[in-house]
Coordinates of all heavy atoms in Angstrom, one line a residue:
M11 N -22.0 -9.4 -10.8 CA -20.7 -9.0 -10.4 C -20.8 -7.6 -9.7 O -21.4 -6.7 -10.1 CB -19.8 -8.8 -11.7 CG -18.5 -8.9 -11.5 SD -17.3 -10.3 -11.4 CE -15.8 -9.5 -11.5
D12 N -20.2 -7.5 -8.5 CA -20.2 -6.3 -7.8 C -19.3 -5.3 -8.4 O -18.4 -5.6 -9.1 CB -19.6 -6.7 -6.4 CG -20.6 -6.3 -5.2 OD1 -21.5 -5.5 -5.5 OD2 -20.3 -6.8 -4.2
S13 N -19.7 -4.0 -8.3 CA -19.0 -3.0 -9.0 C -17.8 -2.6 -8.0 O -17.8 -2.8 -6.9 CB -19.9 -1.7 -9.1 OG -20.3 -1.3 -7.8
Y14 N -16.7 -2.1 -8.7 CA -15.5 -1.7 -8.0 C -15.6 -0.4 -7.6 O -16.0 0.6 -8.2 CB -14.4 -1.8 -9.0 CG -13.8 -3.3 -9.2 CD1 -14.4 -4.2 -9.9 CD2 -12.6 -3.7 -8.5 CE1 -14.0 -5.5 -10.0 CE2 -12.1 -5.0 -8.6 CZ -12.9 -5.9 -9.3 OH -12.4 -7.1 -9.5
V15 N -15.1 -0.1 -6.3 CA -15.1 1.3 -5.8 C -13.6 1.5 -5.4 O -12.8 0.6 -5.2 CB -16.0 1.3 -4.5 CG1 -17.4 1.3 -5.0 CG2 -15.6 0.2 -3.5
E16 N -13.3 2.8 -5.3 CA -12.0 3.2 -5.0 C -11.7 3.0 -3.5 O -12.3 3.4 -2.7 CB -11.7 4.7 -5.4 CG -10.3 5.1 -5.0 CD -10.1 6.5 -5.6 OE1 -10.4 6.9 -6.7 OE2 -9.5 7.3 -4.8
L17 N -10.6 2.3 -3.2 CA -10.1 2.1 -1.8 C -9.2 3.2 -1.4 O -9.4 3.9 -0.3 CB -9.4 0.8 -1.8 CG -8.9 0.4 -0.3 CD1 -9.9 0.3 0.7 CD2 -8.1 -0.9 -0.4
F18 N -8.2 3.4 -2.2 CA -7.3 4.6 -1.9 C -6.5 4.9 -3.1 O -6.5 4.2 -4.0 CB -6.4 4.3 -0.6 CG -5.2 3.4 -1.0 CD1 -4.0 4.0 -0.7 CD2 -5.3 2.2 -1.3 CE1 -2.8 3.2 -1.0 CE2 -4.2 1.3 -1.6 CZ -3.0 1.9 -1.3
R19 N -5.7 5.9 -3.1 CA -4.7 6.3 -4.2 C -3.4 6.1 -3.7 O -3.0 6.7 -2.7 CB -5.0 7.8 -4.6 CG -6.2 7.9 -5.4 CD -6.6 9.3 -5.6 NE -7.9 9.4 -6.3 CZ -8.2 10.1 -7.4 NH1 -7.4 10.7 -8.0 NH2 -9.5 10.1 -7.7
A20 N -2.7 5.2 -4.4 CA -1.3 5.0 -4.0 C -0.5 6.1 -4.9 O -0.9 6.7 -6.0 CB -0.8 3.7 -4.5
S21 N 0.7 6.5 -4.3 CA 1.5 7.6 -4.8 C 2.3 7.1 -6.0 O 2.8 7.9 -6.8 CB 2.3 8.3 -3.8 OG 3.0 7.3 -3.0
N22 N 2.5 5.7 -6.2 CA 3.3 5.2 -7.2 C 2.9 3.7 -7.5 O 2.2 3.2 -6.7 CB 4.7 5.4 -7.0 CG 5.1 4.8 -5.7 OD1 4.9 3.5 -5.5 ND2 5.7 5.5 -4.8
S23 N 3.4 3.2 -8.5 CA 2.9 1.8 -8.9 C 3.6 0.8 -8.0 O 3.0 -0.3 -7.8 CB 3.2 1.5 -10.4 OG 4.5 1.5 -10.6
I24 N 4.7 1.2 -7.4 CA 5.3 0.1 -6.5 C 4.4 0.0 -5.3 O 4.2 -1.2 -4.9 CB 6.8 0.6 -6.1 CG1 7.7 0.7 -7.2 CG2 7.4 -0.1 -5.0 CD1 9.0 1.6 -7.1
E25 N 4.0 1.1 -4.7 CA 3.1 1.0 -3.5 C 1.8 0.3 -3.9 O 1.3 -0.5 -3.2 CB 2.9 2.4 -3.1 CG 2.1 2.5 -1.7 CD 1.7 3.9 -1.3 OE1 2.3 4.9 -2.0 OE2 0.8 4.1 -0.5
A26 N 1.2 0.6 -5.0 CA 0.0 0.1 -5.5 C 0.1 -1.4 -5.6 O -0.8 -2.2 -5.2 CB -0.4 0.7 -6.8
N27 N 1.2 -1.9 -6.3 CA 1.4 -3.4 -6.5 C 1.7 -4.1 -5.2 O 1.3 -5.3 -5.0 CB 2.4 -3.5 -7.5 CG 1.9 -3.3 -9.0 OD1 1.0 -4.1 -9.5 ND2 2.4 -2.3 -9.7
A28 N 2.4 -3.4 -4.3 CA 2.7 -4.0 -3.0 C 1.4 -4.3 -2.4 O 1.3 -5.3 -1.7 CB 3.6 -3.2 -2.2
F29 N 0.5 -3.4 -2.3 CA -0.8 -3.5 -1.6 C -1.7 -4.4 -2.3 O -2.4 -5.2 -1.7 CB -1.5 -2.1 -1.4 CG -2.5 -2.2 -0.5 CD1 -2.5 -2.5 0.9 CD2 -3.8 -1.9 -0.9 CE1 -3.5 -2.7 1.7 CE2 -5.0 -2.1 -0.1 CZ -4.7 -2.4 1.2
K30 N -1.6 -4.4 -3.6 CA -2.4 -5.3 -4.4 C -2.1 -6.7 -4.1 O -3.0 -7.6 -3.8 CB -2.2 -5.1 -5.9 CG -2.9 -6.0 -6.9 CD -2.6 -5.5 -8.3 CE -3.5 -6.3 -9.4 NZ -2.6 -7.4 -9.9
G31 N -0.8 -7.1 -4.0 CA -0.4 -8.4 -3.6 C -0.9 -8.8 -2.3 O -1.3 -10.0 -2.0
L32 N -1.0 -7.8 -1.3 CA -1.4 -8.1 0.0 C -2.9 -8.5 0.0 O -3.3 -9.5 0.7 CB -1.2 -6.9 0.9 CG -1.2 -7.0 2.4 CD1 0.2 -7.5 2.7 CD2 -1.3 -5.7 3.0
L33 N -3.7 -7.8 -0.8 CA -5.1 -8.0 -0.9 C -5.3 -9.4 -1.5 O -6.3 -10.2 -1.3 CB -5.8 -6.8 -1.7 CG -6.0 -5.7 -1.0 CD1 -6.5 -4.6 -1.8 CD2 -6.9 -5.7 0.3
E34 N -4.5 -9.6 -2.5 CA -4.8 -10.9 -3.3 C -4.4 -12.1 -2.4 O -5.0 -13.2 -2.6 CB -3.9 -11.0 -4.6 CG -4.7 -10.0 -5.7 CD -3.9 -9.8 -6.9 OE1 -2.6 -10.1 -6.9 OE2 -4.5 -9.4 -8.0
Q35 N -3.5 -11.9 -1.4 CA -3.2 -13.0 -0.6 C -4.5 -13.4 0.2 O -4.6 -14.5 0.7 CB -2.1 -12.6 0.4 CG -0.7 -12.9 -0.1 CD 0.3 -12.2 0.9 OE1 0.1 -12.1 2.0 NE2 1.5 -12.0 0.3
Q36 N -5.3 -12.4 0.4 CA -6.6 -12.5 1.2 C -7.7 -12.8 0.2 O -8.9 -12.7 0.6 CB -6.9 -11.3 2.0 CG -5.9 -10.8 2.8 CD -5.4 -11.7 4.0 OE1 -6.3 -12.4 4.6 NE2 -4.2 -11.9 4.2
A37 N -7.4 -13.2 -1.0 CA -8.4 -13.6 -1.9 C -9.3 -12.4 -2.3 O -10.6 -12.6 -2.5 CB -9.2 -14.8 -1.6
I38 N -8.9 -11.2 -2.2 CA -9.6 -10.0 -2.5 C -9.1 -9.5 -4.0 O -8.0 -9.1 -4.0 CB -9.6 -8.9 -1.6 CG1 -10.1 -9.4 -0.2 CG2 -10.2 -7.7 -2.0 CD1 -9.9 -8.3 0.9
P39 N -10.0 -9.6 -5.0 CA -9.5 -9.1 -6.3 C -9.4 -7.7 -6.3 O -10.1 -6.8 -5.7 CB -10.7 -9.5 -7.2 CG -11.8 -10.1 -6.4 CD -11.4 -10.0 -4.9
V40 N -8.3 -7.2 -7.0 CA -8.0 -5.8 -7.0 C -7.8 -5.3 -8.6 O -7.4 -6.0 -9.3 CB -6.6 -5.6 -6.4 CG1 -6.2 -4.2 -6.3 CG2 -6.6 -6.1 -5.0
R41 N -8.2 -4.1 -8.7 CA -8.0 -3.5 -9.9 C -7.1 -2.2 -9.7 O -7.5 -1.5 -8.7 CB -9.3 -3.1 -10.6 CG -9.9 -4.2 -11.5 CD -11.0 -3.7 -12.3 NE -11.8 -4.8 -12.7 CZ -13.0 -4.8 -13.4 NH1 -13.6 -3.5 -13.4 NH2 -13.5 -5.9 -13.8
L42 N -6.2 -1.9 -10.6 CA -5.3 -0.7 -10.5 C -5.7 0.1 -11.6 O -5.8 -0.4 -12.8 CB -3.9 -1.0 -10.5 CG -3.3 -2.0 -9.3 CD1 -1.9 -2.1 -9.4 CD2 -3.7 -1.4 -8.0
L43 N -6.0 1.4 -11.4 CA -6.3 2.4 -12.5 C -5.3 3.4 -12.4 O -4.8 3.9 -11.4 CB -7.6 3.0 -12.3 CG -8.9 2.3 -12.7 CD1 -10.1 3.2 -12.5 CD2 -8.8 1.7 -14.1
G44 N -4.8 3.7 -13.7 CA -3.8 4.9 -13.7 C -2.3 4.4 -14.0 O -1.6 5.3 -14.2
E45 N -2.1 3.2 -14.2 CA -0.9 2.6 -14.5 C -0.8 3.0 -16.1 O -1.7 3.1 -16.8 CB -0.7 1.2 -14.3 CG -0.3 0.8 -12.9 CD 0.2 -0.6 -12.7 OE1 -0.7 -1.5 -13.0 OE2 1.3 -0.9 -12.4
A46 N 0.4 3.1 -16.5 CA 0.7 3.5 -17.9 C -0.3 2.8 -18.9 O -0.3 1.6 -18.9 CB 2.2 3.1 -18.3
L47 N -1.0 3.6 -19.6 CA -2.0 3.0 -20.5 C -1.5 3.1 -21.9 O -1.3 4.3 -22.4 CB -3.3 3.7 -20.4 CG -4.0 3.7 -19.0 CD1 -5.1 4.7 -18.9 CD2 -4.5 2.3 -18.7
G48 N -1.3 2.0 -22.5 CA -0.9 1.9 -24.0 C 0.2 2.9 -24.4 O 0.2 3.4 -25.5
G49 N 1.2 3.2 -23.5 CA 2.3 4.0 -23.9 C 2.0 5.5 -23.9 O 3.0 6.3 -24.2
A50 N 0.7 5.9 -23.6 CA 0.5 7.3 -23.6 C 0.9 8.0 -22.4 O 0.9 9.2 -22.2 CB -1.1 7.6 -23.8
A51 N 1.2 7.3 -21.4 CA 1.7 7.8 -20.0 C 2.7 8.8 -20.1 O 2.7 9.8 -19.2 CB 2.0 6.8 -19.1
G52 N 3.6 8.7 -21.0 CA 4.8 9.6 -21.1 C 4.3 11.1 -21.3 O 5.0 12.0 -20.9
E53 N 3.2 11.3 -21.8 CA 2.7 12.7 -22.1 C 1.9 13.2 -20.9 O 1.5 14.4 -21.0 CB 1.8 12.7 -23.3 CG 2.6 12.3 -24.5 CD 1.8 12.2 -25.8 OE1 0.7 12.6 -25.7 OE2 2.2 11.7 -26.8
L54 N 1.7 12.4 -19.9 CA 0.8 12.9 -18.8 C 1.7 13.5 -17.8 O 2.8 13.2 -17.5 CB 0.1 11.7 -18.2 CG -0.9 11.0 -19.0 CD1 -1.4 9.6 -18.3 CD2 -2.0 11.7 -19.4
P55 N 1.1 14.6 -17.3 CA 1.8 15.3 -16.1 C 2.0 14.3 -14.9 O 1.3 13.3 -14.7 CB 0.9 16.5 -15.7 CG -0.5 16.1 -16.3 CD -0.2 15.1 -17.5
M56 N 3.0 14.6 -14.1 CA 3.3 13.7 -12.9 C 2.2 13.4 -12.0 O 2.0 12.3 -11.5 CB 4.5 14.3 -12.2 CG 5.8 14.1 -12.7 SD 6.2 12.4 -13.2 CE 6.6 11.8 -11.6
D57 N 1.3 14.4 -11.8 CA 0.3 14.1 -10.7 C -0.8 13.2 -11.1 O -1.7 12.8 -10.4 CB -0.3 15.5 -10.3 CG -1.0 16.3 -11.3 OD1 -0.9 15.9 -12.5 OD2 -1.6 17.4 -11.1
T58 N -0.8 12.8 -12.4 CA -1.7 11.8 -12.9 C -1.1 10.4 -12.7 O -1.8 9.4 -13.1 CB -2.3 11.9 -14.3 OG1 -1.1 11.9 -15.2 CG2 -2.8 13.3 -14.5
Q59 N 0.2 10.4 -12.1 CA 0.8 9.1 -12.1 C 0.3 8.2 -10.8 O 0.7 7.2 -10.4 CB 2.4 9.2 -12.1 CG 2.9 9.7 -13.4 CD 2.7 8.8 -14.5 OE1 3.0 7.6 -14.4 NE2 2.3 9.3 -15.6
Q60 N -0.5 9.0 -10.0 CA -1.1 8.2 -8.8 C -1.9 7.1 -9.3 O -2.5 7.2 -10.4 CB -2.1 9.2 -8.2 CG -1.4 10.1 -7.2 CD -2.4 10.7 -6.2 OE1 -3.5 10.8 -6.5 NE2 -1.9 11.1 -5.0
I61 N -1.9 6.0 -8.6 CA -2.6 4.9 -9.0 C -3.9 4.7 -8.1 O -3.7 4.7 -6.8 CB -1.7 3.6 -8.7 CG1 -0.4 3.8 -9.3 CG2 -2.3 2.4 -9.3 CD1 -0.2 3.7 -10.8
R62 N -5.0 4.5 -8.7 CA -6.2 4.3 -7.9 C -6.3 2.8 -7.8 O -6.3 2.0 -8.7 CB -7.4 4.9 -8.7 CG -7.3 6.4 -8.9 CD -8.5 6.8 -9.8 NE -9.8 6.6 -9.1 CZ -10.9 6.5 -9.8 NH1 -10.9 6.6 -11.1 NH2 -12.0 6.3 -9.3
V63 N -6.5 2.4 -6.5 CA -6.6 1.0 -6.2 C -8.1 0.7 -5.9 O -8.7 1.3 -5.1 CB -5.8 0.7 -4.8 CG1 -6.0 -0.8 -4.4 CG2 -4.3 1.0 -5.1
L64 N -8.7 -0.2 -6.7 CA -10.1 -0.4 -6.7 C -10.3 -1.9 -6.1 O -9.6 -2.8 -6.4 CB -10.8 -0.3 -8.0 CG -10.5 1.0 -8.8 CD1 -11.3 1.0 -10.0 CD2 -10.9 2.2 -8.0
V65 N -11.4 -2.0 -5.3 CA -11.9 -3.3 -4.9 C -13.3 -3.3 -5.1 O -14.0 -2.3 -5.0 CB -11.5 -3.6 -3.4 CG1 -10.0 -3.7 -3.1 CG2 -12.1 -2.6 -2.5
Q66 N -13.9 -4.6 -5.0 CA -15.3 -4.7 -5.2 C -16.0 -4.2 -3.9 O -15.4 -4.4 -2.9 CB -15.7 -6.2 -5.5 CG -15.4 -6.6 -6.8 CD -15.6 -8.0 -7.1 OE1 -14.9 -8.8 -6.4 NE2 -16.4 -8.4 -7.9
Q67 N -17.2 -3.7 -4.1 CA -17.9 -3.1 -2.8 C -18.0 -4.0 -1.8 O -17.8 -3.8 -0.5 CB -19.3 -2.8 -3.4 CG -20.1 -2.0 -2.4 CD -20.3 -0.5 -2.8 OE1 -20.6 -0.2 -3.9 NE2 -20.0 0.4 -2.0
C68 N -18.2 -5.3 -2.0 CA -18.5 -6.3 -1.0 C -17.2 -6.6 -0.2 O -17.3 -7.1 0.9 CB -19.1 -7.6 -1.6 SG -17.9 -8.4 -2.7
H69 N -16.1 -6.2 -0.7 CA -14.7 -6.5 -0.1 C -14.2 -5.3 0.6 O -13.2 -5.3 1.1 CB -13.8 -7.0 -1.1 CG -13.9 -8.4 -1.6 ND1 -14.1 -9.5 -0.8 CD2 -14.0 -8.9 -2.8 CE1 -14.4 -10.5 -1.5 NE2 -14.4 -10.2 -2.8
L70 N -15.0 -4.2 0.4 CA -14.4 -2.9 0.9 C -14.1 -2.8 2.4 O -13.0 -2.4 2.7 CB -15.4 -1.7 0.5 CG -14.8 -0.3 0.6 CD1 -13.6 -0.1 -0.3 CD2 -15.9 0.8 0.2
P71 N -15.0 -3.3 3.3 CA -14.7 -3.3 4.6 C -13.3 -4.1 5.0 O -12.5 -3.6 5.7 CB -15.9 -4.0 5.4 CG -17.0 -3.7 4.3 CD -16.4 -3.9 3.0
A72 N -13.2 -5.2 4.4 CA -12.0 -6.1 4.7 C -10.8 -5.4 4.1 O -9.8 -5.4 4.8 CB -12.2 -7.4 4.1
A73 N -10.9 -4.8 2.9 CA -9.8 -4.1 2.3 C -9.4 -2.9 3.1 O -8.2 -2.6 3.2 CB -10.2 -3.8 0.9
K74 N -10.3 -2.2 3.7 CA -10.0 -1.2 4.5 C -9.2 -1.5 5.8 O -8.3 -0.8 6.2 CB -11.3 -0.3 4.8 CG -11.7 0.6 3.8 CD -12.9 1.5 4.3 CE -13.2 2.5 3.3 NZ -14.4 3.3 3.4
G75 N -9.6 -2.7 6.3 CA -8.9 -3.2 7.4 C -7.5 -3.4 7.1 O -6.5 -3.1 7.9
L76 N -7.3 -4.0 6.0 CA -5.9 -4.4 5.5 C -5.1 -3.2 5.2 O -3.9 -3.1 5.5 CB -6.0 -5.3 4.3 CG -6.4 -6.8 4.5 CD1 -6.7 -7.4 3.2 CD2 -5.2 -7.5 5.2
L77 N -5.8 -2.2 4.7 CA -5.1 -0.9 4.4 C -4.6 -0.2 5.6 O -3.4 0.3 5.7 CB -6.2 0.0 3.7 CG -5.6 1.4 3.2 CD1 -4.4 1.3 2.3 CD2 -6.7 2.3 2.7
Q78 N -5.4 -0.3 6.6 CA -5.1 0.2 7.9 C -3.7 -0.5 8.5 O -2.8 0.2 8.9 CB -6.1 0.2 9.0 CG -6.8 1.5 9.2 CD -8.0 1.4 10.2 OE1 -8.2 0.4 10.8 NE2 -8.7 2.4 10.3
Q79 N -3.9 -1.7 8.4 CA -2.7 -2.5 8.8 C -1.5 -2.2 8.0 O -0.3 -2.0 8.6 CB -2.9 -4.0 8.7 CG -3.7 -4.7 9.8 CD -3.9 -6.2 9.5 OE1 -3.1 -6.8 8.7 NE2 -4.9 -6.7 10.0
Y80 N -1.7 -2.1 6.7 CA -0.5 -1.8 5.8 C 0.1 -0.5 6.2 O 1.3 -0.4 6.2 CB -1.1 -1.9 4.4 CG -0.1 -1.5 3.3 CD1 1.0 -2.3 2.9 CD2 -0.1 -0.2 2.7 CE1 1.9 -2.0 2.0 CE2 0.7 0.2 1.8 CZ 1.8 -0.7 1.4 OH 2.7 -0.3 0.4
Q81 N -0.8 0.5 6.5 CA -0.3 1.9 6.7 C 0.4 2.0 8.0 O 1.4 2.8 8.3 CB -1.4 2.9 6.6 CG -1.7 3.1 5.0 CD -2.9 4.0 4.9 OE1 -3.8 4.1 5.8 NE2 -3.0 4.6 3.8
Q82 N 0.0 1.1 8.9 CA 0.6 1.1 10.3 C 2.0 0.4 10.2 O 3.0 0.8 10.8 CB -0.2 0.2 11.3 CG -1.3 1.1 12.1 CD -2.2 0.2 12.8 OE1 -2.0 -1.0 13.0 NE2 -3.3 0.9 13.2
N83 N 2.1 -0.6 9.2 CA 3.3 -1.4 9.0 C 4.4 -0.4 8.4 O 5.6 -0.7 8.6 CB 3.1 -2.5 8.1 CG 2.4 -3.7 8.8 OD1 2.5 -3.6 10.0 ND2 1.9 -4.5 8.1
I84 N 4.0 0.6 7.7 CA 4.9 1.4 7.0 C 5.2 2.6 7.8 O 6.0 3.5 7.4 CB 4.7 1.7 5.5 CG1 3.3 2.6 5.5 CG2 4.7 0.5 4.6 CD1 3.1 3.1 4.1
A85 N 4.5 2.8 9.0 CA 4.8 3.9 9.9 C 6.2 3.6 10.5 O 6.6 2.6 10.7 CB 3.8 3.9 11.0
P86 N 6.8 4.8 10.9 CA 8.2 4.7 11.4 C 8.1 4.0 12.8 O 7.1 4.1 13.5 CB 8.7 6.1 11.6 CG 7.7 6.9 10.8 CD 6.5 6.1 10.6
W87 N 9.1 3.3 13.3 CA 9.1 2.7 14.5 C 10.4 2.9 15.1 O 11.5 3.2 14.6 CB 8.8 1.2 14.4 CG 9.8 0.5 13.6 CD1 9.7 0.3 12.2 CD2 10.9 -0.2 13.8 NE1 10.7 -0.4 11.7 CE2 11.5 -0.8 12.6 CE3 11.5 -0.5 15.1 CZ2 12.6 -1.6 12.7 CZ3 12.8 -1.3 15.1 CH2 13.2 -1.8 13.9
Q88 N 10.3 3.0 16.5 CA 11.6 3.3 17.3 C 12.2 2.1 17.9 O 11.5 1.3 18.5 CB 11.3 4.3 18.4 CG 12.6 4.8 18.9 CD 12.4 6.0 19.8 OE1 11.3 6.3 20.3 NE2 13.5 6.8 20.1
C89 N 13.4 1.8 17.7 CA 14.2 0.7 18.2 C 14.5 0.8 19.7 O 14.5 1.9 20.1 CB 15.4 0.4 17.4 SG 16.4 -1.0 18.0
S90 N 14.7 -0.3 20.3 CA 15.2 -0.1 21.7 C 16.5 0.5 22.0 O 16.8 1.0 23.0 CB 15.2 -1.6 22.3 OG 16.0 -2.4 21.5
C91 N 17.3 0.6 20.9 CA 18.6 1.3 21.0 C 18.3 2.8 20.7 O 19.2 3.7 20.8 CB 19.5 0.8 19.8 SG 19.2 1.4 18.2
G92 N 17.1 3.2 20.4 CA 16.7 4.7 20.4 C 16.7 5.1 19.0 O 16.3 6.3 18.7
E93 N 17.0 4.3 18.0 CA 17.1 4.6 16.6 C 15.6 4.7 16.1 O 14.9 3.8 16.2 CB 17.9 3.7 15.8 CG 18.3 4.3 14.4 CD 19.0 5.7 14.5 OE1 20.0 5.7 15.3 OE2 18.6 6.5 13.7
Q94 N 15.4 5.8 15.3 CA 14.0 5.9 14.6 C 14.2 5.2 13.3 O 15.0 5.5 12.4 CB 13.6 7.3 14.4 CG 12.3 7.6 14.0 CD 11.2 7.5 15.0 OE1 11.5 7.4 16.2 NE2 10.0 7.7 14.6
N95 N 13.4 4.1 13.0 CA 13.5 3.4 11.7 C 12.3 3.7 10.8 O 11.2 3.7 11.3 CB 13.7 2.0 11.9 CG 14.9 1.6 12.6 OD1 16.0 1.6 11.8 ND2 15.0 1.4 13.8
D96 N 12.6 3.8 9.5 CA 11.5 3.8 8.5 C 10.8 2.5 8.6 O 11.3 1.4 8.8 CB 12.2 4.0 7.2 CG 11.2 4.3 6.1 OD1 10.5 3.4 5.6 OD2 10.9 5.5 5.8
G97 N 9.4 2.6 8.4 CA 8.6 1.4 8.5 C 8.9 0.3 7.6 O 8.6 -0.9 7.7
H98 N 9.6 0.6 6.4 CA 9.9 -0.4 5.4 C 11.1 -1.3 5.9 O 11.3 -2.4 5.4 CB 10.4 0.2 4.2 CG 9.3 1.0 3.5 ND1 8.2 0.5 2.8 CD2 9.1 2.3 3.2 CE1 7.4 1.3 2.3 NE2 7.9 2.5 2.7
F99 N 11.7 -0.9 7.0 CA 12.9 -1.7 7.6 C 12.3 -2.8 8.6 O 11.6 -2.4 9.4 CB 13.9 -0.8 8.2 CG 14.7 0.0 7.4 CD1 14.5 1.5 7.2 CD2 15.6 -0.5 6.5 CE1 15.2 2.1 6.4 CE2 16.4 0.2 5.6 CZ 16.2 1.5 5.6
E100 N 12.5 -4.0 8.3 CA 12.1 -4.9 9.3 C 13.0 -5.1 10.5 O 12.6 -5.6 11.5 CB 12.0 -6.3 8.5 CG 10.8 -6.4 7.7 CD 10.6 -7.7 6.9 OE1 11.2 -8.7 7.4 OE2 9.9 -7.7 6.0
L101 N 14.2 -4.7 10.2 CA 15.1 -4.7 11.3 C 15.8 -3.3 11.5 O 15.8 -2.6 10.5 CB 16.4 -5.7 11.0 CG 15.9 -7.2 10.8 CD1 17.1 -8.0 10.4 CD2 15.4 -7.8 12.1
C102 N 16.2 -3.0 12.7 CA 16.9 -1.7 12.9 C 18.1 -1.6 12.0 O 19.0 -2.4 12.0 CB 17.3 -1.6 14.4 SG 18.1 -0.1 14.6
W103 N 18.2 -0.5 11.4 CA 19.3 -0.5 10.4 C 20.5 -0.1 11.1 O 21.7 -0.3 10.6 CB 19.1 0.7 9.4 CG 19.0 2.1 9.9 CD1 17.9 2.7 10.3 CD2 20.1 3.0 10.1 NE1 18.2 4.0 10.8 CE2 19.5 4.2 10.7 CE3 21.5 2.9 9.8 CZ2 20.4 5.3 11.1 CZ3 22.2 4.0 10.2 CH2 21.7 5.2 10.8
R104 N 20.5 0.3 12.4 CA 21.7 0.6 13.1 C 22.2 -0.6 14.0 O 23.4 -0.9 13.8 CB 21.3 1.7 14.0 CG 22.5 2.3 14.8 CD 22.1 3.5 15.6 NE 23.0 4.1 16.5 CZ 22.8 4.8 17.6 NH1 21.7 5.1 17.9 NH2 23.8 5.2 18.3
C105 N 21.3 -1.3 14.6 CA 21.8 -2.3 15.5 C 21.3 -3.7 15.1 O 21.8 -4.7 15.5 CB 21.4 -2.1 17.0 SG 19.8 -2.4 17.3
G106 N 20.4 -3.8 14.2 CA 19.9 -5.0 13.5 C 18.9 -5.7 14.4 O 18.5 -6.9 14.1
S107 N 18.4 -5.1 15.5 CA 17.4 -5.9 16.2 C 16.0 -5.7 15.6 O 15.7 -4.8 14.8 CB 17.3 -5.4 17.7 OG 18.0 -4.3 18.0
E108 N 15.1 -6.5 16.0 CA 13.6 -6.5 15.5 C 13.0 -5.5 16.4 O 13.3 -5.1 17.5 CB 13.1 -7.9 15.6 CG 13.6 -8.8 14.7 CD 12.9 -10.2 14.8 OE1 11.7 -10.1 15.1 OE2 13.6 -11.2 14.6
P109 N 11.9 -4.9 15.8 CA 11.0 -4.0 16.5 C 10.5 -4.7 17.8 O 10.0 -5.8 17.7 CB 9.9 -3.6 15.6 CG 10.3 -4.2 14.3 CD 11.4 -5.1 14.5
V110 N 10.4 -3.9 19.0 CA 9.8 -4.5 20.1 C 8.3 -4.1 20.0 O 8.0 -2.9 19.9 CB 10.5 -3.8 21.4 CG1 10.0 -4.4 22.6 CG2 12.0 -3.9 21.3
T111 N 7.5 -5.2 20.2 CA 6.1 -4.9 20.2 C 5.4 -5.0 21.5 O 6.0 -5.7 22.4 CB 5.4 -5.8 19.2 OG1 5.9 -7.2 19.4 CG2 5.6 -5.5 17.7
Ligands
LIG21 ZN1 18.5 -0.4 17.1

């Protein structure tokens, strides 16, 4: 079995799990480290709530490619109406059009 290496650190478990789902769609196994462990998490300071996303060494190049795509997808985009939209929006929140690519 290949050993797991850190791909990136997500700032919260929502982000970590969203990306985990993306990798698993590509048949890349993922491990998350740093999610609440056995109820002890309540005592940890906030900055340890970061989630480490690990993939196997052999999948690292592919996973990095997906990570780049993922980070581009959440980058802000500008609509043809001139509105700046957060990358999480698939449609312009103002006029409802799709991003022009
Ligand atoms: Zn618009």
Side-chain angles (χ1 to χ4, degrees):
M11 209 74 174
D12 239 336
S13 59
Y14 278 78
V15 292
E16 182 175 312
L17 176 64
F18 81 117
R19 287 176 189 227
S21 47
N22 56 58
S23 67
I24 295 168
E25 189 187 342
N27 280 295
F29 190 62
K30 178 174 184 267
L32 205 75
L33 287 173
E34 284 174 344
Q35 275 172 22
Q36 308 296 318
I38 298 176
V40 180
R41 279 189 191 170
L42 301 181
L43 281 186
E45 278 192 298
L47 300 168
E53 295 174 14
L54 298 174
M56 280 309 284
D57 59 359
T58 62
Q59 296 295 315
Q60 274 197 337
I61 314 280
R62 297 172 66 201
V63 179
L64 310 184
V65 297
Q66 285 171 299
Q67 190 106 48
C68 60
H69 291 304
L70 192 59
K74 277 189 173 163
L76 284 167
L77 177 63
Q78 249 173 16
Q79 276 180 25
Y80 175 74
Q81 287 175 335
Q82 276 169 11
N83 284 342
I84 61 172
W87 54 277
Q88 189 165 22
C89 178
S90 50
C91 76
E93 194 58 50
Q94 187 88 3
N95 289 284
D96 190 276
H98 295 289
F99 291 106
E100 285 178 18
L101 300 173
C102 174
W103 66 268
R104 188 173 172 204
C105 71
S107 17
E108 292 181 29
V110 187
T111 46

